[in-house]
Amino acid sequence: AVNVEGHTDDAPTRSEKYPTNWELSSARAVNVARYLTEIMKVEPGRVFVSAHSSHRPVGSNETAYDRSLNRRVEIVLVKRKP
């Protein structure tokens, strides 16, 4: 299975479309999942999405560069769905 994980930095969103980082991180992951299934033809039943908001940072969020590291999508291959 393929887990598509969406992440954000810890800056609050300023958008009606994404009122919180939860919505933003999920939208990022969904867009990649759609690309994998619609364009790359990965079987949809093998793909699932996780949204982590700002709760799994890889950078400190103290500099622009570190915040940019946290705005990401990760593709994780797993043996089976959780």
Side-chain angles (χ1 to χ4, degrees), residues 11-55:
T13 62
R14 292 177 172 82
S15 164
E16 287 186 29
K17 186 174 183 179
Y18 307 113
T20 72
N21 281 330
W22 288 107
E23 285 88 0
L24 179 56
S25 65
S26 64
R28 286 179 176 157
V30 166
N31 284 328
V32 172
R34 288 189 64 194
Y35 178 84
L36 290 174
T37 58
E38 294 172 9
I39 305 301
M40 301 304 297
K41 303 300 183 194
V42 175
E43 181 184 326
R46 298 182 60 212
V47 178
F48 61 101
V49 170
S50 300
H52 297 289
S53 183
S54 61
H55 301 290

mmCIF file of all heavy atoms in Angstrom, residues 11-55:
data_model
loop_
_atom_site.group_PDB
_atom_site.id
_atom_site.type_symbol
_atom_site.label_atom_id
_atom_site.label_comp_id
_atom_site.label_asym_id
_atom_site.label_seq_id
_atom_site.Cartn_x
_atom_site.Cartn_y
_atom_site.Cartn_z
ATOM 1 N N ALA A 11 3.089 27.800 10.811
ATOM 2 C CA ALA A 11 2.448 29.102 10.601
ATOM 3 C C ALA A 11 0.952 28.896 10.347
ATOM 4 O O ALA A 11 0.576 28.047 9.545
ATOM 5 C CB ALA A 11 3.092 29.830 9.425
ATOM 6 N N PRO A 12 0.101 29.664 11.019
ATOM 7 C CA PRO A 12 -1.337 29.544 10.762
ATOM 8 C C PRO A 12 -1.665 29.913 9.315
ATOM 9 O O PRO A 12 -1.017 30.788 8.732
ATOM 10 C CB PRO A 12 -1.964 30.557 11.716
ATOM 11 C CG PRO A 12 -0.916 30.871 12.725
ATOM 12 C CD PRO A 12 0.403 30.648 12.054
ATOM 13 N N THR A 13 -2.639 29.240 8.749
ATOM 14 C CA THR A 13 -3.054 29.566 7.390
ATOM 15 C C THR A 13 -3.908 30.828 7.421
ATOM 16 O O THR A 13 -4.552 31.131 8.417
ATOM 17 C CB THR A 13 -3.847 28.419 6.738
ATOM 18 O OG1 THR A 13 -5.025 28.197 7.491
ATOM 19 C CG2 THR A 13 -3.041 27.146 6.677
ATOM 20 N N ARG A 14 -3.903 31.533 6.313
ATOM 21 C CA ARG A 14 -4.707 32.761 6.201
ATOM 22 C C ARG A 14 -5.588 32.652 4.956
ATOM 23 O O ARG A 14 -5.540 33.484 4.082
ATOM 24 C CB ARG A 14 -3.791 33.971 6.111
ATOM 25 C CG ARG A 14 -3.030 34.237 7.377
ATOM 26 C CD ARG A 14 -2.070 35.403 7.225
ATOM 27 N NE ARG A 14 -1.464 35.776 8.487
ATOM 28 C CZ ARG A 14 -0.419 35.173 9.022
ATOM 29 N NH1 ARG A 14 0.119 34.145 8.417
ATOM 30 N NH2 ARG A 14 0.081 35.586 10.165
ATOM 31 N N SER A 15 -6.356 31.580 4.910
ATOM 32 C CA SER A 15 -7.115 31.281 3.713
ATOM 33 C C SER A 15 -8.493 30.760 4.092
ATOM 34 O O SER A 15 -8.620 29.963 5.024
ATOM 35 C CB SER A 15 -6.353 30.226 2.901
ATOM 36 O OG SER A 15 -7.165 29.632 1.937
ATOM 37 N N GLU A 16 -9.500 31.183 3.355
ATOM 38 C CA GLU A 16 -10.834 30.616 3.563
ATOM 39 C C GLU A 16 -10.884 29.174 3.072
ATOM 40 O O GLU A 16 -11.596 28.340 3.630
ATOM 41 C CB GLU A 16 -11.882 31.453 2.842
ATOM 42 C CG GLU A 16 -12.140 32.776 3.511
ATOM 43 C CD GLU A 16 -13.290 33.529 2.864
ATOM 44 O OE1 GLU A 16 -14.201 32.878 2.326
ATOM 45 O OE2 GLU A 16 -13.250 34.771 2.908
ATOM 46 N N LYS A 17 -10.108 28.884 2.029
ATOM 47 C CA LYS A 17 -10.086 27.535 1.471
ATOM 48 C C LYS A 17 -9.468 26.537 2.448
ATOM 49 O O LYS A 17 -9.909 25.388 2.533
ATOM 50 C CB LYS A 17 -9.308 27.536 0.152
ATOM 51 C CG LYS A 17 -9.351 26.226 -0.583
ATOM 52 C CD LYS A 17 -8.696 26.341 -1.938
ATOM 53 C CE LYS A 17 -8.789 25.045 -2.710
ATOM 54 N NZ LYS A 17 -8.176 25.142 -4.031
ATOM 55 N N TYR A 18 -8.450 26.965 3.175
ATOM 56 C CA TYR A 18 -7.767 26.108 4.158
ATOM 57 C C TYR A 18 -7.765 26.829 5.506
ATOM 58 O O TYR A 18 -6.797 27.492 5.867
ATOM 59 C CB TYR A 18 -6.337 25.804 3.721
ATOM 60 C CG TYR A 18 -6.242 25.233 2.336
ATOM 61 C CD1 TYR A 18 -5.638 25.943 1.309
ATOM 62 C CD2 TYR A 18 -6.772 23.985 2.046
ATOM 63 C CE1 TYR A 18 -5.554 25.422 0.030
ATOM 64 C CE2 TYR A 18 -6.707 23.460 0.774
ATOM 65 C CZ TYR A 18 -6.090 24.182 -0.226
ATOM 66 O OH TYR A 18 -6.020 23.662 -1.491
ATOM 67 N N PRO A 19 -8.848 26.712 6.282
ATOM 68 C CA PRO A 19 -8.937 27.465 7.535
ATOM 69 C C PRO A 19 -7.910 27.043 8.584
ATOM 70 O O PRO A 19 -7.582 27.823 9.465
ATOM 71 C CB PRO A 19 -10.358 27.214 8.021
ATOM 72 C CG PRO A 19 -10.878 26.088 7.214
ATOM 73 C CD PRO A 19 -10.059 25.977 5.983
ATOM 74 N N THR A 20 -7.404 25.803 8.493
ATOM 75 C CA THR A 20 -6.361 25.350 9.413
ATOM 76 C C THR A 20 -5.323 24.556 8.631
ATOM 77 O O THR A 20 -5.531 24.183 7.470
ATOM 78 C CB THR A 20 -6.917 24.438 10.528
ATOM 79 O OG1 THR A 20 -7.276 23.166 9.957
ATOM 80 C CG2 THR A 20 -8.106 25.059 11.239
ATOM 81 N N ASN A 21 -4.213 24.272 9.287
ATOM 82 C CA ASN A 21 -3.174 23.466 8.654
ATOM 83 C C ASN A 21 -3.616 22.025 8.419
ATOM 84 O O ASN A 21 -3.040 21.324 7.595
ATOM 85 C CB ASN A 21 -1.881 23.514 9.472
ATOM 86 C CG ASN A 21 -1.118 24.795 9.233
ATOM 87 O OD1 ASN A 21 -1.189 25.382 8.162
ATOM 88 N ND2 ASN A 21 -0.371 25.240 10.233
ATOM 89 N N TRP A 22 -4.641 21.577 9.141
ATOM 90 C CA TRP A 22 -5.177 20.230 8.878
ATOM 91 C C TRP A 22 -5.724 20.148 7.456
ATOM 92 O O TRP A 22 -5.428 19.200 6.721
ATOM 93 C CB TRP A 22 -6.287 19.871 9.880
ATOM 94 C CG TRP A 22 -5.765 19.592 11.251
ATOM 95 C CD1 TRP A 22 -5.889 20.385 12.351
ATOM 96 C CD2 TRP A 22 -5.026 18.447 11.668
ATOM 97 N NE1 TRP A 22 -5.273 19.800 13.410
ATOM 98 C CE2 TRP A 22 -4.733 18.601 13.032
ATOM 99 C CE3 TRP A 22 -4.590 17.298 11.014
ATOM 100 C CZ2 TRP A 22 -4.020 17.651 13.763
ATOM 101 C CZ3 TRP A 22 -3.878 16.351 11.741
ATOM 102 C CH2 TRP A 22 -3.602 16.539 13.099
ATOM 103 N N GLU A 23 -6.526 21.130 7.066
ATOM 104 C CA GLU A 23 -7.089 21.129 5.709
ATOM 105 C C GLU A 23 -5.998 21.271 4.657
ATOM 106 O O GLU A 23 -6.041 20.606 3.621
ATOM 107 C CB GLU A 23 -8.117 22.257 5.541
ATOM 108 C CG GLU A 23 -9.446 21.995 6.204
ATOM 109 C CD GLU A 23 -9.506 22.447 7.657
ATOM 110 O OE1 GLU A 23 -8.502 22.972 8.171
ATOM 111 O OE2 GLU A 23 -10.561 22.239 8.274
ATOM 112 N N LEU A 24 -5.018 22.119 4.925
ATOM 113 C CA LEU A 24 -3.933 22.320 3.968
ATOM 114 C C LEU A 24 -3.108 21.052 3.797
ATOM 115 O O LEU A 24 -2.814 20.634 2.674
ATOM 116 C CB LEU A 24 -3.049 23.486 4.410
ATOM 117 C CG LEU A 24 -1.851 23.808 3.529
ATOM 118 C CD1 LEU A 24 -2.273 24.079 2.092
ATOM 119 C CD2 LEU A 24 -1.085 24.986 4.113
ATOM 120 N N SER A 25 -2.744 20.397 4.893
ATOM 121 C CA SER A 25 -1.936 19.178 4.778
ATOM 122 C C SER A 25 -2.719 18.057 4.098
ATOM 123 O O SER A 25 -2.157 17.291 3.313
ATOM 124 C CB SER A 25 -1.415 18.737 6.145
ATOM 125 O OG SER A 25 -2.459 18.355 7.010
ATOM 126 N N SER A 26 -4.020 17.972 4.360
ATOM 127 C CA SER A 26 -4.810 16.931 3.698
ATOM 128 C C SER A 26 -4.950 17.218 2.208
ATOM 129 O O SER A 26 -4.890 16.301 1.388
ATOM 130 C CB SER A 26 -6.179 16.754 4.360
ATOM 131 O OG SER A 26 -6.956 17.906 4.230
ATOM 132 N N ALA A 27 -5.123 18.489 1.837
ATOM 133 C CA ALA A 27 -5.224 18.838 0.415
ATOM 134 C C ALA A 27 -3.935 18.506 -0.326
ATOM 135 O O ALA A 27 -3.967 18.006 -1.458
ATOM 136 C CB ALA A 27 -5.560 20.313 0.260
ATOM 137 N N ARG A 28 -2.806 18.770 0.289
ATOM 138 C CA ARG A 28 -1.524 18.420 -0.336
ATOM 139 C C ARG A 28 -1.450 16.922 -0.604
ATOM 140 O O ARG A 28 -1.069 16.484 -1.684
ATOM 141 C CB ARG A 28 -0.360 18.842 0.559
ATOM 142 C CG ARG A 28 -0.124 20.316 0.575
ATOM 143 C CD ARG A 28 1.024 20.690 1.483
ATOM 144 N NE ARG A 28 1.254 22.123 1.362
ATOM 145 C CZ ARG A 28 1.852 22.853 2.274
ATOM 146 N NH1 ARG A 28 2.311 22.309 3.388
ATOM 147 N NH2 ARG A 28 2.015 24.155 2.073
ATOM 148 N N ALA A 29 -1.814 16.139 0.396
ATOM 149 C CA ALA A 29 -1.745 14.692 0.244
ATOM 150 C C ALA A 29 -2.751 14.183 -0.790
ATOM 151 O O ALA A 29 -2.425 13.308 -1.606
ATOM 152 C CB ALA A 29 -1.977 14.018 1.596
ATOM 153 N N VAL A 30 -3.948 14.715 -0.782
ATOM 154 C CA VAL A 30 -4.974 14.292 -1.739
ATOM 155 C C VAL A 30 -4.536 14.591 -3.171
ATOM 156 O O VAL A 30 -4.735 13.774 -4.082
ATOM 157 C CB VAL A 30 -6.336 14.943 -1.416
ATOM 158 C CG1 VAL A 30 -7.314 14.804 -2.570
ATOM 159 C CG2 VAL A 30 -6.910 14.344 -0.149
ATOM 160 N N ASN A 31 -3.941 15.749 -3.395
ATOM 161 C CA ASN A 31 -3.475 16.086 -4.747
ATOM 162 C C ASN A 31 -2.433 15.095 -5.247
ATOM 163 O O ASN A 31 -2.466 14.680 -6.412
ATOM 164 C CB ASN A 31 -2.928 17.510 -4.788
ATOM 165 C CG ASN A 31 -4.030 18.537 -4.792
ATOM 166 O OD1 ASN A 31 -5.101 18.307 -5.325
ATOM 167 N ND2 ASN A 31 -3.764 19.680 -4.189
ATOM 168 N N VAL A 32 -1.533 14.684 -4.389
ATOM 169 C CA VAL A 32 -0.519 13.704 -4.789
ATOM 170 C C VAL A 32 -1.166 12.337 -4.987
ATOM 171 O O VAL A 32 -0.847 11.626 -5.950
ATOM 172 C CB VAL A 32 0.632 13.649 -3.763
ATOM 173 C CG1 VAL A 32 1.583 12.496 -4.063
ATOM 174 C CG2 VAL A 32 1.392 14.974 -3.755
ATOM 175 N N ALA A 33 -2.091 11.960 -4.118
ATOM 176 C CA ALA A 33 -2.786 10.671 -4.267
ATOM 177 C C ALA A 33 -3.555 10.631 -5.582
ATOM 178 O O ALA A 33 -3.550 9.602 -6.283
ATOM 179 C CB ALA A 33 -3.732 10.442 -3.091
ATOM 180 N N ARG A 34 -4.203 11.723 -5.935
ATOM 181 C CA ARG A 34 -4.919 11.772 -7.217
ATOM 182 C C ARG A 34 -3.946 11.634 -8.382
ATOM 183 O O ARG A 34 -4.241 10.942 -9.356
ATOM 184 C CB ARG A 34 -5.718 13.069 -7.337
ATOM 185 C CG ARG A 34 -6.943 13.078 -6.430
ATOM 186 C CD ARG A 34 -7.826 14.246 -6.702
ATOM 187 N NE ARG A 34 -8.352 14.129 -8.067
ATOM 188 C CZ ARG A 34 -8.942 15.112 -8.720
ATOM 189 N NH1 ARG A 34 -9.088 16.293 -8.155
ATOM 190 N NH2 ARG A 34 -9.403 14.930 -9.932
ATOM 191 N N TYR A 35 -2.804 12.287 -8.315
ATOM 192 C CA TYR A 35 -1.802 12.164 -9.372
ATOM 193 C C TYR A 35 -1.365 10.701 -9.507
ATOM 194 O O TYR A 35 -1.278 10.168 -10.614
ATOM 195 C CB TYR A 35 -0.594 13.056 -9.075
ATOM 196 C CG TYR A 35 0.487 12.928 -10.110
ATOM 197 C CD1 TYR A 35 0.433 13.666 -11.287
ATOM 198 C CD2 TYR A 35 1.555 12.059 -9.927
ATOM 199 C CE1 TYR A 35 1.408 13.536 -12.255
ATOM 200 C CE2 TYR A 35 2.536 11.925 -10.889
ATOM 201 C CZ TYR A 35 2.466 12.666 -12.050
ATOM 202 O OH TYR A 35 3.438 12.523 -13.007
ATOM 203 N N LEU A 36 -1.084 10.058 -8.375
ATOM 204 C CA LEU A 36 -0.641 8.661 -8.419
ATOM 205 C C LEU A 36 -1.699 7.756 -9.042
ATOM 206 O O LEU A 36 -1.379 6.871 -9.832
ATOM 207 C CB LEU A 36 -0.297 8.171 -7.011
ATOM 208 C CG LEU A 36 0.949 8.764 -6.371
ATOM 209 C CD1 LEU A 36 1.069 8.300 -4.919
ATOM 210 C CD2 LEU A 36 2.194 8.402 -7.163
ATOM 211 N N THR A 37 -2.967 7.967 -8.689
ATOM 212 C CA THR A 37 -4.012 7.071 -9.185
ATOM 213 C C THR A 37 -4.497 7.438 -10.582
ATOM 214 O O THR A 37 -4.757 6.553 -11.397
ATOM 215 C CB THR A 37 -5.211 7.033 -8.220
ATOM 216 O OG1 THR A 37 -5.732 8.341 -8.050
ATOM 217 C CG2 THR A 37 -4.798 6.460 -6.869
ATOM 218 N N GLU A 38 -4.619 8.730 -10.876
ATOM 219 C CA GLU A 38 -5.191 9.148 -12.161
ATOM 220 C C GLU A 38 -4.152 9.223 -13.279
ATOM 221 O O GLU A 38 -4.458 8.885 -14.421
ATOM 222 C CB GLU A 38 -5.880 10.506 -12.003
ATOM 223 C CG GLU A 38 -7.096 10.436 -11.084
ATOM 224 C CD GLU A 38 -7.678 11.799 -10.764
ATOM 225 O OE1 GLU A 38 -7.267 12.809 -11.372
ATOM 226 O OE2 GLU A 38 -8.560 11.854 -9.883
ATOM 227 N N ILE A 39 -2.959 9.669 -12.978
ATOM 228 C CA ILE A 39 -1.932 9.843 -14.008
ATOM 229 C C ILE A 39 -0.984 8.645 -14.057
ATOM 230 O O ILE A 39 -0.695 8.111 -15.121
ATOM 231 C CB ILE A 39 -1.128 11.145 -13.771
ATOM 232 C CG1 ILE A 39 -2.062 12.362 -13.673
ATOM 233 C CG2 ILE A 39 -0.054 11.342 -14.843
ATOM 234 C CD1 ILE A 39 -2.919 12.620 -14.884
ATOM 235 N N MET A 40 -0.513 8.234 -12.881
ATOM 236 C CA MET A 40 0.454 7.134 -12.826
ATOM 237 C C MET A 40 -0.217 5.763 -12.796
ATOM 238 O O MET A 40 0.442 4.742 -12.853
ATOM 239 C CB MET A 40 1.371 7.296 -11.606
ATOM 240 C CG MET A 40 2.149 8.606 -11.612
ATOM 241 S SD MET A 40 3.140 8.875 -13.102
ATOM 242 C CE MET A 40 4.297 7.526 -13.002
ATOM 243 N N LYS A 41 -1.554 5.744 -12.673
ATOM 244 C CA LYS A 41 -2.366 4.515 -12.731
ATOM 245 C C LYS A 41 -2.060 3.524 -11.606
ATOM 246 O O LYS A 41 -2.175 2.312 -11.783
ATOM 247 C CB LYS A 41 -2.223 3.825 -14.095
ATOM 248 C CG LYS A 41 -2.588 4.724 -15.268
ATOM 249 C CD LYS A 41 -4.012 5.201 -15.187
ATOM 250 C CE LYS A 41 -4.375 6.037 -16.401
ATOM 251 N NZ LYS A 41 -5.595 6.786 -16.239
ATOM 252 N N VAL A 42 -1.683 4.049 -10.427
ATOM 253 C CA VAL A 42 -1.555 3.193 -9.258
ATOM 254 C C VAL A 42 -2.970 2.787 -8.851
ATOM 255 O O VAL A 42 -3.891 3.608 -8.857
ATOM 256 C CB VAL A 42 -0.845 3.933 -8.102
ATOM 257 C CG1 VAL A 42 -0.826 3.089 -6.839
ATOM 258 C CG2 VAL A 42 0.572 4.328 -8.510
ATOM 259 N N GLU A 43 -3.168 1.530 -8.527
ATOM 260 C CA GLU A 43 -4.492 1.029 -8.156
ATOM 261 C C GLU A 43 -5.029 1.822 -6.957
ATOM 262 O O GLU A 43 -4.388 1.866 -5.894
ATOM 263 C CB GLU A 43 -4.395 -0.454 -7.806
ATOM 264 C CG GLU A 43 -5.697 -1.094 -7.425
ATOM 265 C CD GLU A 43 -5.508 -2.541 -7.009
ATOM 266 O OE1 GLU A 43 -4.620 -3.215 -7.564
ATOM 267 O OE2 GLU A 43 -6.256 -2.972 -6.112
ATOM 268 N N PRO A 44 -6.189 2.473 -7.092
ATOM 269 C CA PRO A 44 -6.713 3.322 -6.021
ATOM 270 C C PRO A 44 -6.876 2.613 -4.671
ATOM 271 O O PRO A 44 -6.685 3.227 -3.629
ATOM 272 C CB PRO A 44 -8.064 3.794 -6.562
ATOM 273 C CG PRO A 44 -7.915 3.737 -8.036
ATOM 274 C CD PRO A 44 -7.022 2.548 -8.296
ATOM 275 N N GLY A 45 -7.185 1.346 -4.690
ATOM 276 C CA GLY A 45 -7.348 0.601 -3.445
ATOM 277 C C GLY A 45 -6.055 0.422 -2.668
ATOM 278 O O GLY A 45 -6.080 0.025 -1.507
ATOM 279 N N ARG A 46 -4.937 0.731 -3.300
ATOM 280 C CA ARG A 46 -3.635 0.612 -2.637
ATOM 281 C C ARG A 46 -3.160 1.929 -2.032
ATOM 282 O O ARG A 46 -2.147 1.965 -1.362
ATOM 283 C CB ARG A 46 -2.589 0.114 -3.635
ATOM 284 C CG ARG A 46 -2.903 -1.271 -4.176
ATOM 285 C CD ARG A 46 -1.839 -1.756 -5.121
ATOM 286 N NE ARG A 46 -0.564 -1.814 -4.402
ATOM 287 C CZ ARG A 46 0.620 -1.595 -4.967
ATOM 288 N NH1 ARG A 46 0.699 -1.298 -6.234
ATOM 289 N NH2 ARG A 46 1.723 -1.669 -4.258
ATOM 290 N N VAL A 47 -3.889 3.010 -2.288
ATOM 291 C CA VAL A 47 -3.447 4.341 -1.879
ATOM 292 C C VAL A 47 -4.341 4.873 -0.768
ATOM 293 O O VAL A 47 -5.563 4.794 -0.855
ATOM 294 C CB VAL A 47 -3.469 5.317 -3.086
ATOM 295 C CG1 VAL A 47 -3.063 6.711 -2.662
ATOM 296 C CG2 VAL A 47 -2.564 4.803 -4.201
ATOM 297 N N PHE A 48 -3.734 5.416 0.277
ATOM 298 C CA PHE A 48 -4.497 6.116 1.303
ATOM 299 C C PHE A 48 -3.739 7.365 1.724
ATOM 300 O O PHE A 48 -2.566 7.527 1.426
ATOM 301 C CB PHE A 48 -4.853 5.207 2.487
ATOM 302 C CG PHE A 48 -3.697 4.630 3.238
ATOM 303 C CD1 PHE A 48 -3.303 5.180 4.449
ATOM 304 C CD2 PHE A 48 -3.007 3.526 2.749
ATOM 305 C CE1 PHE A 48 -2.249 4.647 5.152
ATOM 306 C CE2 PHE A 48 -1.950 2.981 3.463
ATOM 307 C CZ PHE A 48 -1.557 3.540 4.666
ATOM 308 N N VAL A 49 -4.449 8.245 2.379
ATOM 309 C CA VAL A 49 -3.950 9.587 2.673
ATOM 310 C C VAL A 49 -3.934 9.804 4.185
ATOM 311 O O VAL A 49 -4.874 9.406 4.880
ATOM 312 C CB VAL A 49 -4.853 10.638 1.994
ATOM 313 C CG1 VAL A 49 -4.529 12.035 2.464
ATOM 314 C CG2 VAL A 49 -4.730 10.534 0.481
ATOM 315 N N SER A 50 -2.878 10.465 4.667
ATOM 316 C CA SER A 50 -2.785 10.891 6.060
ATOM 317 C C SER A 50 -2.428 12.367 6.090
ATOM 318 O O SER A 50 -1.584 12.815 5.321
ATOM 319 C CB SER A 50 -1.695 10.113 6.808
ATOM 320 O OG SER A 50 -1.938 8.735 6.803
ATOM 321 N N ALA A 51 -3.065 13.102 6.978
ATOM 322 C CA ALA A 51 -2.763 14.530 7.143
ATOM 323 C C ALA A 51 -2.204 14.737 8.547
ATOM 324 O O ALA A 51 -2.833 14.351 9.532
ATOM 325 C CB ALA A 51 -4.023 15.364 6.947
ATOM 326 N N HIS A 52 -1.031 15.347 8.620
ATOM 327 C CA HIS A 52 -0.366 15.522 9.918
ATOM 328 C C HIS A 52 -0.252 16.975 10.353
ATOM 329 O O HIS A 52 0.291 17.248 11.425
ATOM 330 C CB HIS A 52 1.020 14.891 9.880
ATOM 331 C CG HIS A 52 0.981 13.421 9.654
ATOM 332 N ND1 HIS A 52 0.547 12.526 10.610
ATOM 333 C CD2 HIS A 52 1.277 12.679 8.568
ATOM 334 C CE1 HIS A 52 0.606 11.300 10.130
ATOM 335 N NE2 HIS A 52 1.039 11.362 8.893
ATOM 336 N N SER A 53 -0.751 17.901 9.529
ATOM 337 C CA SER A 53 -0.677 19.325 9.865
ATOM 338 C C SER A 53 0.774 19.681 10.179
ATOM 339 O O SER A 53 1.671 19.299 9.436
ATOM 340 C CB SER A 53 -1.639 19.627 11.014
ATOM 341 O OG SER A 53 -1.660 20.998 11.321
ATOM 342 N N SER A 54 1.023 20.357 11.279
ATOM 343 C CA SER A 54 2.384 20.774 11.638
ATOM 344 C C SER A 54 2.984 19.887 12.718
ATOM 345 O O SER A 54 4.010 20.231 13.309
ATOM 346 C CB SER A 54 2.354 22.227 12.129
ATOM 347 O OG SER A 54 1.524 22.335 13.274
ATOM 348 N N HIS A 55 2.391 18.736 12.976
ATOM 349 C CA HIS A 55 2.752 17.923 14.135
ATOM 350 C C HIS A 55 3.915 16.953 13.928
ATOM 351 O O HIS A 55 4.304 16.278 14.883
ATOM 352 C CB HIS A 55 1.522 17.183 14.649
ATOM 353 C CG HIS A 55 0.432 18.128 15.043
ATOM 354 N ND1 HIS A 55 0.509 18.946 16.147
ATOM 355 C CD2 HIS A 55 -0.734 18.439 14.435
ATOM 356 C CE1 HIS A 55 -0.565 19.698 16.224
ATOM 357 N NE2 HIS A 55 -1.347 19.403 15.193
#
